[in-house]
Amino acid sequence: MSTTNILVMNGPNLSRLGKREPEIYGSRTLEDINRELDGAFPEIKFGFFQSEEEGELLQKLFEIEDHGGWSGVVLNAGALTHYSIALRDAISAVKIPVVEVHLSNIYAREEFRRKSVISEVCVGVVSGFGADSYHLGVRGLMGIIGW
Ligand code: DQA
């Protein structure tokens, strides 16, 4: 069986997990979350990418699309979720399935967070389960890619 490669992509401010508003986002760092994913899904080869820059996230999506060999993306776009039409268009432009994930339940928070401009072009959304959102996102993606 060929390897399943999944890219776990995180946008602005997610590098600050562990220190950043732990009452909302939990005490795990992004490194903890990534390590736990590796441990939980030994059959999957993960790539991990985080950037504070919108353009770098777009470029990464195009890079993996052009390179080939990637089965899907689990994406926490952070605040870009709520306003980045550029990110939405990039997700729409690639064939790779993208699952939107959030640590917090964006629908139970401030008004401006209740709208995601990327959900419509993602294959699914997981929001509100803390670090487990990433695990659930991977599970969902595995179903979609027929693993
Ligand atoms: C977030 C929710 C966003 O509203 C926020 O801007 C983030 C994190 C989450 O994981 O809950 O940076 O995506």
Side-chain angles (χ1 to χ4, degrees):
M1 191 187 294
S2 64
T3 326
T4 300
N5 296 307
I6 291 179
L7 182 68
V8 180
M9 217 163 143
N10 282 278
N13 299 311
L14 291 155
S15 59
R16 307 296 294 168
L17 286 178
K19 301 188 185 93
R20 172 195 186 202
E21 298 178 279
E23 64 292 355
I24 298 175
Y25 299 115
S27 55
R28 288 190 182 84
T29 64
L30 188 55
E31 290 68 33
D32 293 335
I33 292 174
N34 292 346
R35 195 175 342 100
E36 285 167 12
L37 281 173
D38 259 335
F41 300 96
E43 66 278 34
I44 293 176
K45 193 170 178 303
F46 287 106
F48 298 106
F49 182 77
Q50 189 275 332
S51 178
E52 313 299 348
E53 302 290 335
E54 180 185 49
E56 286 187 6
L57 296 170
L58 270 58
Q59 274 165 1
K60 192 69 184 177
L61 273 179
F62 299 146
E63 192 184 302
I64 64 163
E65 171 93 346
D66 292 344
H67 185 271
W70 291 89
S71 307
V73 174
V74 171
L75 169 66
N76 186 346
L80 294 172
T81 304
H82 312 297
Y83 67 86
S84 177
I85 306 300
L87 181 59
R88 178 204 163 100
D89 285 351
I91 296 168
S92 199
V94 297
K95 291 191 195 73
I96 295 177
V98 177
V99 175
E100 172 184 352
V101 302
H102 301 283
L103 294 141
S104 63
N105 178 357
I106 59 170
Y107 300 100
R109 298 187 59 194
E110 303 94 322
E111 182 83 45
F112 67 88
R113 288 188 211 276
R114 294 184 203 155
K115 167 86 189 153
S116 164
V117 298
I118 65 170
S119 295
E120 274 181 17
V121 291
C122 288
V123 292
V125 183
V126 184
S127 185
F129 299 94
D132 284 347
S133 290
Y134 291 85
H135 293 247
L136 294 166
V138 171
R139 280 255 165 264
L141 199 47
M142 285 165 82
I144 278 167
I145 62 190
W147 203 82

